[in-house]
Amino acid sequence: MFTKVELQKGVNLYIRRTEQFKTITMSIKWLSELNEKQAAFRAVLSNVLQDSNADYPKQSDLRKALDELYGTVFYMDAGKRGRSHIVSLNMECVNDEYLSTSGVFDEALKMMYSVIFNPNLKNGTFDESVVNREKRTVIERIRSIYDDKGRYAHKRMLELMRPNDPASMSASGTEKDVESITNASLLDTYKRMLDEDEIDIYVVGNVNVDELAEKIKTMFGFPARETTRKQYEQPDTKNTEARQVFERQDMKQGKLQVGYSTPVSFFHPEYPKMQVTNGVLGGFAHSKLFMNVREKESMAYTVNSAYAAYYGIVYVMAGIDADLEEKAVKLIGEQIDALQNGNISDLELDQTIALLTNSIRSAFDSARGQIELYDQYKQLDEDFTADKWIAKWEAVSIEDVQQMASQIHLELIYLLSGREA
Amino acid sequence: MDKITFDNLQETLFHERLDNGLHVYILPKRGFSKTYVTFTTKYGSIDSTFIPRGKEEYVTVPDGIAHFLEHKMFDKKEEDVFQKFGVLGASANAFTSFTRTSYLFSTTENLYENTKVLLDFVQEPYFTKEKVEKEKGIIAQEITMYDDNPDWRNYFGTIQSLYKEYPVNIDIAGTVDTIQEITAEHLYECYETFYHPSNMTVFVIGAVDPDEMINFIREDQNSKEFSEPEEIKRKYPEEPKEANRKKTVLEMDVLRPKFNYGMKCNHTILNGDEMLRQDLSVNLLLDILFGRTSEFYTKAYNDHLIDETYHYDFVFEKGFGFAMVESDTDKPEELEAAVRSTLKSLTEKWTITDDDLNRARKRRIGQFMRSLNSIEFISNQFTQYNFNDMNLFDVVPTLENIEIEHLKDAFATISNEDSHTVMTIIPGSKED
């Protein structure tokens, strides 16, 4: 699906030509090893780089130029995957064929070049007022999780299950690490990002592959680099006993999070089976959790499960009346038991495979979806296609699901609920 | 079937109004594997006072009923509708807004079987006392979830501070108390009144053959019996020009205050081209005044009055409209002063130039082109516009014809300070 061009050792370009979209979407990803300090540095750095550069020293000038390019979208963000931290520079512009002018994509490419190679430096360092402002912005981003009770409960569950571990680390780092950033450390991070990180460049749209590859190769002269990717290693939790943690804030609804660990993670050969298992349990509106906890017992509006495959964690989330916590935990446990006992109908299995199929095919209907899915799955198969993966799901049997369910292990019951009167 | 081509966008739209009054729109998209089908009734949370079909007197139904009805449509005598879609590989959903209730699915296979499930479940109501009672628990949890969400409280609190009479101030889901009053009889009454095909629209977009699809839907509708279309009589109260409240402060368990500046639009009895022009003009105006290239944004971001959560928006429907400027902030008073002075200085002296307008226009045209990649966007936005007699595909030509005078008129519809409100969510006192 993507044509791969190795620009340099450790720097790869992936282009997909398609007439499906009216725009051209481009994404440059810098991968490094995830640790909290570097995550904090890189989160602030990406904000500083997207704010302004030597060609557009003021943010409003940069934004005006983008508006002139028919509102070209331009932003950087920080994310994580397994043991990797990923900084992305994302761009999307209207394809010239839909406009009365031409050259929009070329101009947007130049702006990407400026952002990366011509940062806004004064006397060799980043503008201090910008750095300080963006440090504050990232700190606020980290703190804002508290105000979203669902996200906060999820964060707490991960911290309790996997303290000091990539699974619970924020891609923006900690407040303390952000505070500690100096102009020198930021510059050092910037240099390392450009010279040492593994770099993947993606382009999706109606473009000429050969021409564009040549253009990008000439324009973005990233040097070659050595890359070694380490996989996330899960702690052994098979024999640990399940814990219960209750915390309180001033709120009305109880947010329940039940965490399970599984040795079947993203790189495990049985990963597709675990995806199906999670779907039968609680991935969809026909799943056991939705049907039994929501529809039969009417005790929740949201109840579902998710599979954080990189970290080998399956978790169930529900919004409930906190007084019903015991009943909810019992009902959730019963659904897991049902899977472990093989109480799964052909219908449930077929529906799950059909909806997983629908969701992966639908994701390919957006340029970002194509980039993100391929970027993830190419770690397993450089010739990844949706069809190949769907075939793996179609081969999953009820016995497989039962066997997968027996490999998940309850670790933590976490409830965040309102203060007592 | 009518065929409308939009050459510059490389899109073709098909349309037919069936004998029973149902509008069907079909838009094939090349290269897409997914098809997205919505079945929408022009009935939302603001339609709470109306004359029920076959009756003569106005009734007022409990708050939250349109949303409750949406939930109950999925629950049938034998089985749950999600199951039917699931086995056919479709992902189904529904939503209720102020003015619409929409049922939808997206699929990459079994398109016609799924379309049949959609048409059937929306056109075969089944409500019982027992099933209605059971749903109350689920919806109460949904309401409670929103109660704990400071962003929703801030958004909705602003609407309630702006609107004194107009039912847009009623929470779409109602309250835990009002939903207790809802009965199966209520649901049938609302259903019979608002779910007649003549009040509804089907929109199909994505991987679809228009001729086959229109034949399929036409045959399905011809095989079902419907009563004669009747005009629906709805009643809305008159809304004063002034905001309901000037200032609202709410304590919640948050770390930082959340600020929202609301502006009520005072020129809302419009439709068609005029409405589209005003809608787009207000949006351009907000881009120029509050967008990321504006003086306001630059100063407010530098002075730390706003952060990454900052955004602004304009909602415009027949009968109501409001603009909002929101952000988390440590300095709500300073932010309020900055918003006010931005509005005030434009009232005193018009400073917006053709350059500003042209740049904002280019940005909006590009944004519109981008959003045409999203079949969900096209479908939802097309339907919302269509219910107000606007055409989504007129956006670019309308943008191209907007002049400074239109921006001045647009500004006059939202600039009256008496129609403004300020809502803040502040951290509550801790009691550990």
Side-chain angles (χ1 to χ4, degrees):
Chain A
M1 56 173 301
F2 281 91
T3 306
K4 177 180 173 178
V5 183
E6 190 184 48
L7 299 180
Q8 283 292 347
K9 196 164 183 305
V11 184
N12 289 306
L13 170 65
Y14 299 88
I15 305 183
R16 177 150 197 266
R17 181 184 194 162
T18 168
E19 293 187 354
Q20 192 179 351
F21 308 112
K22 292 187 163 55
T23 52
I24 300 170
T25 303
M26 187 163 167
S27 189
I28 304 183
K29 293 172 183 293
W30 288 265
L31 273 78
S32 62
E33 190 174 334
L34 174 65
N35 71 57
E36 272 178 342
K37 229 179 173 66
Q38 271 300 310
F41 288 12
R42 282 159 186 262
V44 172
L45 179 64
S46 38
N47 272 32
V48 169
L49 292 179
Q50 79 166 7
D51 174 85
S52 55
N53 52 63
D55 297 332
Y56 298 98
K58 277 163 62 187
Q59 189 190 129
S60 57
D61 292 341
L62 177 68
R63 291 287 146 193
K64 276 179 185 167
L66 290 167
D67 284 0
E68 292 289 352
L69 293 176
Y70 289 86
T72 291
V73 171
F74 212 69
Y75 64 96
M76 295 189 73
D77 59 15
K80 64 164 186 171
R81 192 166 64 199
R83 280 186 63 172
S84 300
H85 187 268
I86 306 170
V87 169
S88 318
L89 168 59
N90 308 291
M91 189 276 286
E92 187 183 359
C93 69
V94 181
N95 197 325
D96 288 348
E97 63 183 300
Y98 295 96
L99 297 170
S100 45
T101 47
S102 61
V104 169
F105 179 57
D106 282 342
E107 282 302 313
L109 265 181
K110 278 187 210 155
M111 294 186 74
M112 291 183 91
Y113 176 86
S114 298
V115 167
I116 301 165
F117 296 103
N118 289 336
N120 186 14
L121 301 180
K122 277 179 195 153
N123 306 321
T125 59
F126 289 105
D127 183 329
E128 195 162 341
S129 63
V130 174
V131 172
N132 287 336
R133 195 185 62 205
E134 296 310 322
K135 279 166 74 172
R136 203 161 48 192
T137 297
V138 172
I139 286 172
E140 274 152 17
R141 186 194 300 161
I142 297 165
R143 288 169 65 113
S144 71
I145 292 181
Y146 182 89
D147 297 352
D148 182 333
K149 303 309 172 195
R151 275 176 69 207
Y152 181 82
H154 182 60
K155 174 176 170 267
R156 288 294 297 143
M157 179 196 76
L158 289 173
E159 284 169 354
L160 291 159
M161 280 178 77
R162 300 280 182 276
N164 307 313
D165 181 283
S168 61
M169 277 176 201
S170 158
S172 303
T174 64
E175 286 181 45
K176 203 169 131 261
D177 289 330
V178 175
E179 296 280 11
S180 76
I181 291 174
T182 62
N183 225 320
S185 59
L186 210 57
L187 204 58
D188 177 58
T189 301
Y190 169 69
K191 286 188 174 134
R192 283 171 53 184
M193 196 172 110
L194 254 59
D195 296 338
E196 295 169 20
D197 279 19
E198 181 177 343
I199 299 177
D200 287 326
I201 306 173
Y202 288 92
V203 185
V204 175
N206 195 9
V207 293
N208 181 317
V209 175
D210 295 334
E211 244 175 59
L212 184 62
E214 202 42 49
K215 192 181 280 184
I216 289 176
K217 192 170 186 166
T218 321
M219 239 177 129
F220 298 85
F222 292 111
R225 71 254 352 256
E226 290 300 321
T227 55
T228 44
R229 186 151 337 143
K230 287 185 203 139
Q231 276 185 24
Y232 175 74
E233 275 166 42
Q234 282 168 256
D236 182 14
T237 52
K238 231 177 13 248
N239 300 314
T240 55
E241 225 167 276
R243 285 184 297 158
Q244 252 189 344
V245 178
F246 292 169
E247 291 184 341
R248 292 183 180 277
Q249 284 181 10
D250 190 4
M251 56 195 273
K252 289 186 181 173
Q253 192 178 52
K255 302 282 184 197
L256 180 65
Q257 296 258 337
V258 186
Y260 301 82
S261 58
T262 165
V264 181
S265 66
F266 184 76
F267 293 97
H268 193 284
E270 290 182 314
Y271 167 58
K273 294 181 187 171
M274 191 57 93
Q275 289 180 295
V276 173
T277 305
N278 173 56
V280 175
L281 173 65
F284 302 102
H286 67 265
S287 303
K288 284 191 182 293
L289 288 170
F290 191 89
M291 293 310 292
N292 293 299
V293 180
R294 171 169 156 154
E295 296 297 301
K296 280 214 184 94
E297 299 287 335
S298 346
M299 60 188 295
Y301 171 68
T302 52
V303 54
N304 56 291
S305 67
Y307 176 28
Y310 285 103
Y311 305 108
I313 294 172
V314 172
Y315 55 96
V316 174
M317 299 167 282
I320 55 165
D321 183 340
D323 292 342
L324 299 177
E325 180 268 338
E326 265 182 59
K327 189 177 170 189
V329 168
K330 185 166 163 281
L331 273 168
I332 291 165
E334 284 170 12
Q335 309 316 310
I336 303 274
D337 291 344
L339 292 186
Q340 291 177 345
N341 297 328
N343 293 332
I344 301 149
S345 67
D346 288 327
L347 182 69
E348 283 172 295
L349 185 67
D350 291 347
Q351 286 176 326
T352 300
I353 294 166
L355 284 176
L356 284 168
T357 301
N358 187 47
S359 69
I360 197 166
R361 285 202 205 286
S362 300
F364 275 87
D365 276 346
S366 90
R368 287 223 65 76
Q370 292 180 0
I371 293 172
E372 295 307 320
L373 267 176
Y374 181 78
D375 188 49
Q376 214 186 97
Y377 280 90
K378 79 169 192 297
Q379 300 174 83
L380 302 176
D381 176 8
E382 285 239 329
D383 299 320
F384 167 79
T385 63
D387 285 338
K388 275 188 175 177
W389 208 260
I390 290 163
K392 289 181 199 276
W393 288 330
E394 282 172 344
V396 176
S397 67
I398 287 176
E399 291 70 34
D400 290 332
V401 173
Q402 179 179 7
Q403 200 246 332
M404 285 297 105
S406 67
Q407 291 196 57
I408 67 169
H409 169 75
L410 175 64
E411 258 193 75
L412 180 74
I413 297 161
Y414 175 82
L415 180 74
L416 179 69
S417 69
R419 285 165 203 281
E420 273 161 327
Chain B
M1 186 164 55
D2 308 325
K3 178 175 164 182
I4 315 152
T5 52
F6 303 96
D7 289 335
N8 51 339
L9 304 175
Q10 299 180 24
E11 302 285 0
T12 305
L13 176 70
F14 298 84
H15 168 249
E16 182 166 317
R17 185 159 204 194
L18 306 183
D19 293 342
N20 63 17
L22 180 69
H23 282 283
V24 182
Y25 291 91
I26 304 169
L27 185 72
K29 289 286 276 184
R30 79 175 164 203
F32 280 75
S33 45
K34 165 169 74 174
T35 316
Y36 183 75
V37 184
T38 56
F39 193 3
T40 308
T41 168
K42 198 173 176 177
Y43 168 52
S45 64
I46 63 167
D47 301 301
S48 50
T49 300
F50 57 90
I51 300 180
R53 177 169 266 263
K55 304 246 174 79
E56 276 165 14
E57 301 283 311
Y58 278 98
V59 299
T60 296
V61 289
D63 293 348
I65 199 160
H67 171 259
F68 202 105
L69 179 55
E70 174 227 299
H71 269 240
K72 283 330 289 168
M73 290 307 298
F74 285 90
D75 195 5
K76 300 299 180 203
K77 188 172 184 184
E78 300 297 335
E79 81 279 87
D80 192 282
V81 178
F82 286 117
Q83 300 275 346
K84 283 193 166 182
F85 280 115
V87 79
L88 292 166
S91 163
N93 213 334
F95 63 85
T96 307
S97 73
F98 296 124
T99 55
R100 288 174 291 150
T101 311
S102 210
Y103 301 86
L104 57 100
F105 71 84
S106 79
T107 193
T108 48
E109 53 189 323
N110 304 316
L111 174 60
Y112 294 106
E113 291 92 327
N114 279 308
T115 304
K116 179 75 182 148
V117 173
L118 176 71
L119 295 172
D120 284 351
F121 98 83
V122 177
Q123 295 188 319
E124 287 164 9
Y126 178 78
F127 312 125
T128 64
K129 186 166 187 282
E130 191 206 2
K131 282 175 176 283
V132 167
E133 287 313 308
K134 200 153 201 183
E135 197 70 23
K136 289 177 181 173
I138 298 174
I139 296 180
Q141 283 308 319
E142 184 178 1
I143 292 168
T144 316
M145 177 180 84
Y146 280 106
D147 278 347
D148 280 337
N149 181 326
D151 289 317
W152 176 256
R153 295 289 292 274
N154 198 21
Y155 174 77
F156 213 77
T158 304
I159 296 173
Q160 291 175 321
S161 303
L162 286 173
Y163 280 90
K164 186 174 165 57
E165 305 290 344
Y166 208 79
V168 67
N169 66 6
I170 297 167
D171 197 314
I172 291 167
T175 68
V176 174
D177 287 336
T178 64
I179 62 166
Q180 304 310 322
E181 301 162 22
I182 294 173
T183 64
E185 290 69 36
H186 281 129
L187 296 184
Y188 276 113
E189 190 171 72
C190 294
Y191 181 87
E192 297 303 336
T193 306
F194 293 106
Y195 280 62
H196 191 277
S198 60
N199 192 46
M200 301 184 74
T201 291
V202 171
F203 194 97
V204 185
I205 179 168
V208 58
D209 179 307
D211 290 315
E212 275 180 32
M213 181 51 92
I214 192 71
N215 288 338
F216 182 84
I217 297 175
R218 200 190 294 124
E219 270 174 39
D220 174 82
Q221 293 298 289
N222 285 342
S223 72
K224 292 174 180 167
E225 279 191 30
F226 299 96
S227 53
E228 284 300 305
E230 270 177 35
E231 196 200 340
I232 302 172
K233 291 219 165 66
R234 316 163 197 236
K235 196 157 79 181
Y236 304 109
E238 192 140 334
E239 176 65 26
K241 283 220 185 282
E242 302 74 45
N244 181 25
R245 290 186 292 268
K246 298 300 284 176
K247 209 166 206 124
T248 309
V249 179
L250 181 69
E251 278 189 15
M252 287 184 78
D253 192 352
V254 292
L255 288 178
R256 299 180 68 213
K258 288 181 183 287
F259 169 89
N260 194 351
Y261 191 92
M263 293 160 258
K264 182 156 68 173
C265 176
N266 282 328
H267 187 46
T268 59
I269 308 305
L270 289 173
N271 59 23
D273 297 345
E274 240 190 330
M275 185 173 179
L276 183 60
R277 193 170 58 220
Q278 184 174 316
D279 186 8
L280 296 173
S281 299
V282 174
N283 274 300
L284 288 172
L285 180 80
L286 292 175
D287 287 344
I288 295 166
L289 284 181
F290 296 107
R292 290 176 75 170
T293 57
S294 66
E295 278 171 45
F296 167 84
Y297 180 90
T298 306
K299 191 161 183 338
Y301 193 68
N302 280 333
D303 293 350
H304 194 45
L305 304 183
I306 57 175
D307 64 13
E308 287 180 328
T309 61
Y310 172 79
H311 69 281
Y312 59 93
D313 190 22
F314 179 54
V315 170
F316 197 34
E317 296 263 5
K318 204 175 285 176
F320 65 93
F322 46 84
M324 293 180 180
V325 177
E326 359 178 5
S327 183
D328 291 2
T329 180
D330 289 325
K331 305 167 183 166
E333 284 89 14
E334 286 176 48
L335 179 53
E336 179 185 339
V339 174
R340 282 192 195 281
S341 90
T342 301
L343 294 166
K344 191 154 172 275
S345 62
L346 193 67
T347 314
E348 285 162 0
K349 185 169 182 273
W350 185 264
T351 47
I352 295 175
T353 63
D354 278 326
D355 274 357
D356 298 327
L357 170 60
N358 287 334
R359 195 171 50 242
R361 189 196 332 263
K362 275 189 172 175
R363 178 177 175 273
R364 282 274 164 185
I365 289 173
Q367 186 184 58
F368 179 74
M369 293 292 184
R370 272 204 319 280
S371 55
L372 291 186
N373 289 334
S374 160
I375 62 182
E376 290 85 354
F377 168 86
I378 297 175
S379 176
N380 297 331
Q381 193 66 22
F382 184 89
T383 307
Q384 192 233 318
Y385 273 14
N386 191 245
F387 283 173
N388 292 306
D389 303 316
M390 300 184 274
N391 185 342
L392 179 67
F393 296 101
D394 289 340
V395 164
V396 173
T398 307
L399 278 169
E400 281 169 347
N401 288 320
I402 286 173
E403 294 168 16
I404 292 282
E405 283 310 310
H406 299 125
L407 296 194
K408 285 186 179 166
D409 292 345
F411 184 56
T413 69
I414 58 161
S415 59
N416 180 3
E417 265 211 346
D418 295 338
S419 316
H420 296 176
T421 197
V422 173
M423 171 95 199
T424 1
I425 308 262
I426 56 164
S429 39
K430 303 265 180 205
E431 13 153 343
D432 281 298

